């Protein structure tokens, strides 16, 4: 593995999902720029079918259009509703529900089809209930839509809706209901289409509880809610998700997860490029570089006797919780402190956590990046574009991450999670920029290192007042494939490829000291630059910021984060 680029890097060719010059984005089907890799030999990963313990499922990605509307929904572009293409559903498999997507993005989705491999895990519905029809609506639409909810037999549940162009009920043989023990509770996720004036809102759905030990499986279908609040996800729904009923302790439930060689191929194919801002002073480094260059361990009550840290953190306290008893800090010597603050891009390393998600039907690769220092924040206040915020936002030790979500059915990259301060956002592959084949491009914001999918300014705030997150391409590029280390993959513990976790990963205290400075003084200095009417609005905004943004608390490491065992936010 070579060094990362620092200066004079040649920029790889960039690919962005192409859209037709005319028509809606959804009229173009998105495909990754390069073919999916040929996977090294393994067990079930990439085989196309996953056995949930007596119920086999496959992802269907080709569709037949049933109905579209050309208003409402995201960007007021409308939405299109599909059923899975019957010619692509293998013999013995059955449709579980239909698919819907907003029109403002290229077509890129899937639904599961299922096959009963244990006996009586699937049954036809006994009837249908009409949930909603567009017949009486005066909207821009292609035909008329009728949304149906199957009536399941006793002991079975629905996992999807049917949609037709006719008021006649669908055939009972069209769809299948799923035995209750193969289902899990689900919730609405992202808003697809609707409004109260239409009497309907449509959402994607996902398992309500998600994590490395949770067995809920997404079906890819949509939930139709009568008079549901638009753009208000995470509510319960009458639909269920599927469930992988393989026992958690049964290693066969992970047969469809990638082995070590397949993981390495995934990293080669999908590892992102991270562009740092051209004005960035605080660069990433490896953890061992940080320790080797003078980082210190402090203990409460013995602050005058800090301890140098071994290269892999072998003398750091292990386990426990963030009880304030220990913390890390920069070197005491001023020259060394300023040098370490700036990091070392050429000696940086990213750290990979490989974990099963959504009932082990997906693999998440969380890519963690360490920065020795998080720089000061800057604000935009209405027409005043760039206001330095003094020390606000500064803290020692900054952990950021990008998570790749990859289908275990075929190994395709579907989504990327970008961490942003105390939260973050999921971005579908169809909305990403790519370089050198299927490698996503991401951008780290100036000083704060929040991750974004596109360059430019993102304002963290509202009404024209907020923290600036500026991103741009530069010659400072972190190629995450060039120097990575897999630090955790618990599901491999029963295999020959056991990952040994470095000691620093099990340090659960803070990676920086609690910073004590007079925030009110800092704010007063800034307010001197503001016209009178903006002072109170700015004060209100600053008071709403979390400690992580203000930089008061030292951050914890990757394993102390809720998303280590849970889903991203």
């Amino acid at each position: 593995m070579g060094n990362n680029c620092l200066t004079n890097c040649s920029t790889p060719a960039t690919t962005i999902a192409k859209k037709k010059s005319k028509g809606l984005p959804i009229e173009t089907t998105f495909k990754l720029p390069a073919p999916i890799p040929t996977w090294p030999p393994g067990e079930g990963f990439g085989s196309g079918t996953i056995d949930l313990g007596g119920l086999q499922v496959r992802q269907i990605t080709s569709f037949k259009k049933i109905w579209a509307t050309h208003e409402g929904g995201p960007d007021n572009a409308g939405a299109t509703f599909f059923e899975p293409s019957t010619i692509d559903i293998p013999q013995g498999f059955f449709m579980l529900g239909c698919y819907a997507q907003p029109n403002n993005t290229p077509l890129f989705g899937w639904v599961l089809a299922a096959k009963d491999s244990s006996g009586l895990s699937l049954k036809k519905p006994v009837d249908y209930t009409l949930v909603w029809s567009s017949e009486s609506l005066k909207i821009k639409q292609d035909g008329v839509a009728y949304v149906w909810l199957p009536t399941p037999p006793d002991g079975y549940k629905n996992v999807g809706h049917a949609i037709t162009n006719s008021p006649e009920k669908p055939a009972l043989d069209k769809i299948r209901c799923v035995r209750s023990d193969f289902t899990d509770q689900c919730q609405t996720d992202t808003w697809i289409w609707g409004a109260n004036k239409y009497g309907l809102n449509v959402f994607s759905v996902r398992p309500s509880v998600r994590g490395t030990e949770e067995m809920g499986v997404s079906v890819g279908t949509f939930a139709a809610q009568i008079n549901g609040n638009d753009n208000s996800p995470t509510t319960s729904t009458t639909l269920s998700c599927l469930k992988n009923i393989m026992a958690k302790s049964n290693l066969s439930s992970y047969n469809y997860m990638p082995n070590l060689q397949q993981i390495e191929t995934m990293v080669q194919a999908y590892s992102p490029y991270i562009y740092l801002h051209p004005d960035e002073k605080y660069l990433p480094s490896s953890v061992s570089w940080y320790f080797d260059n003078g980082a210190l361990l402090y203990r409460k009550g013995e602050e005058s006797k800090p301890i140098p840290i071994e290269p892999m953190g072998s003398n750091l306290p292990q386990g426990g919780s963030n009880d304030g008893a220990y913390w890390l800090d920069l070197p005491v010597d001023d020259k060394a402190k300023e040098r370490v603050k700036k990091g070392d891009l050429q000696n940086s390393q990213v750290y990979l956590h490989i974990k099963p998600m959504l009932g082990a039907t997906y693999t998440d690769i969380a890519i963690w990046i360490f920065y020795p220092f998080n720089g000061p924040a800057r604000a935009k206040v209405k027409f005043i574009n760039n206001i330095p915020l003094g020390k606000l936002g500064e803290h020692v030790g900054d952990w950021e991450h990008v998570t790749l979500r990859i289908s275990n059915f075929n190994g395709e990259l579907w989504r990327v999670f970008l961490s942003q301060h105390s939260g973050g956002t999921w971005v579908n592959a169809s909305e990403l920029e790519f370089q050198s084949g299927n490698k996503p491009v991401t951008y780290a914001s100036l000083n704060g290192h929040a991750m974004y999918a596109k360059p430019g300014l993102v304002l963290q705030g509202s009404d024209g007042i907020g923290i600036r997150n500026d991103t741009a391409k530069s010659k400072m590029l972190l190629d995450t494939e060039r120097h990575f280390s897999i630090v955790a993959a618990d599901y491999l513990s029963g295999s020959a490829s056991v990952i040994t976790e470095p000691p620093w990963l099990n340090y659960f205290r803070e990676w920086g000291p609690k910073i004590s400075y007079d925030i009110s003084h800092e704010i007063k200095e800034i307010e001197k630059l503001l016209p009178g009417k903006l002072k109170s609005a700015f004060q209100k905004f600053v008071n709403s910021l979390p400690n992580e943004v203000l930089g008061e608390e030292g951050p914890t490491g990757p394993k102390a984060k809720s998303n280590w065992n849970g889903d991203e936010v």
Side-chain angles (χ1 to χ4, degrees), residues 186-191 201-208 210 222-225 229 232-238:
C186 71
Q187 62 183 192
T188 58
D189 187 11
T190 57
W191 183 51
N201 276 285
V202 177
F203 298 89
S204 64
V205 291
R206 62 181 181 179
S208 298
R210 302 171 305 284
F222 65 85
Q225 295 195 340
N229 292 325
S232 301
T234 67
T235 58
S236 59
T237 172
T238 55

Side-chain angles (χ1 to χ4, degrees), residues 246-541:
M246 293 277 194
K248 295 178 186 177
S249 59
N250 187 345
L251 291 177
S252 63
S253 62
Y254 297 125
N255 283 350
Y256 300 94
M257 290 292 292
N259 60 32
L260 190 57
Q261 291 72 35
Q262 291 167 337
I263 292 168
E264 291 171 348
T265 302
M266 292 161 76
V267 174
Q268 291 167 8
Y270 301 132
S271 55
Y273 291 108
I274 301 174
Y275 279 99
L276 301 167
H277 193 278
D279 297 331
E280 184 62 67
K281 296 178 181 177
Y282 306 108
L283 304 175
S285 77
S286 67
V287 170
S288 58
W289 180 91
Y290 181 55
F291 294 164
D292 286 342
N293 282 270
L296 297 168
L297 171 66
Y298 284 80
R299 184 173 182 175
K300 189 174 182 179
E302 299 179 10
E303 288 84 353
S304 62
K305 297 184 290 183
I307 302 169
I309 306 169
E310 297 294 327
M312 295 302 290
S314 58
N315 61 332
L316 293 173
Q318 299 289 287
S321 61
N322 184 24
D323 54 10
Y326 296 90
W327 62 91
L328 309 186
D329 205 349
L330 298 164
V332 175
D333 177 77
D334 287 339
K335 269 191 176 180
K337 180 182 293 185
E338 291 305 310
R339 182 175 63 84
V340 172
K341 267 186 181 182
K342 295 177 181 178
D344 188 329
L345 184 58
Q346 292 196 21
N347 284 296
S348 64
Q349 187 173 36
V350 298
Y351 304 98
L352 274 51
H353 177 206
I354 319 297
K355 56 182 181 176
M357 288 299 297
L358 301 175
T361 58
Y362 278 82
T363 295
D364 276 12
I365 302 180
I367 302 171
W368 291 90
I369 306 106
F370 177 71
Y371 297 81
F373 194 74
N374 191 95
R378 297 169 308 127
K380 180 180 184 297
V381 181
K382 299 293 187 182
F383 52 84
I384 305 177
N385 285 324
N386 198 340
I387 302 175
L389 295 183
K391 293 182 178 181
L392 291 180
E394 288 187 353
H395 60 81
V396 175
D398 183 27
W399 282 102
E400 303 292 344
H401 72 283
V402 177
T403 296
L404 311 176
R405 179 155 289 176
I406 297 165
S407 168
N408 288 346
F409 290 93
N410 61 0
E412 185 171 3
L413 174 68
W414 280 94
R415 306 181 86 188
V416 173
F417 181 83
L418 303 174
S419 67
Q420 296 159 357
H421 306 299
S422 57
T425 186
W426 282 106
V427 181
N428 290 331
S430 59
E431 301 171 76
L432 291 167
E433 176 187 347
F434 291 90
Q435 285 182 186
S436 302
N438 294 335
K439 293 176 175 289
V441 174
T442 61
Y443 299 86
S445 66
L446 177 62
N447 290 352
H449 311 134
M451 309 294 291
Y452 295 93
K454 292 180 173 60
L457 168 64
V458 175
L459 199 63
Q460 184 181 354
S462 60
D463 299 325
I465 300 176
I467 298 290
R468 293 185 66 99
N469 290 280
D470 290 280
T471 60
K473 277 189 177 175
S474 75
K475 293 180 178 180
M476 293 185 290
L477 170 66
L478 176 58
D479 178 357
T480 57
E481 182 194 353
R482 298 293 295 275
H483 204 181
F484 70 88
S485 173
I486 300 173
V487 295
D490 290 347
Y491 72 90
L492 290 175
S493 60
S495 70
S497 305
V498 178
I499 304 298
T500 301
E501 296 183 355
W504 61 258
L505 187 61
N506 289 295
Y507 169 72
F508 283 86
R509 275 77 172 193
E510 292 174 347
W511 283 70
K514 181 175 181 178
I515 296 176
S516 298
Y517 52 80
D518 189 346
I519 294 178
S520 61
H521 172 75
E522 298 282 341
I523 293 172
K524 285 178 182 177
E525 290 298 308
I526 296 162
E527 287 177 344
K528 291 178 182 178
L529 305 173
L530 300 176
K533 291 183 179 180
L534 296 182
K535 293 183 190 295
S536 59
F538 178 73
Q539 173 76 57
K540 183 179 179 181
F541 162 72

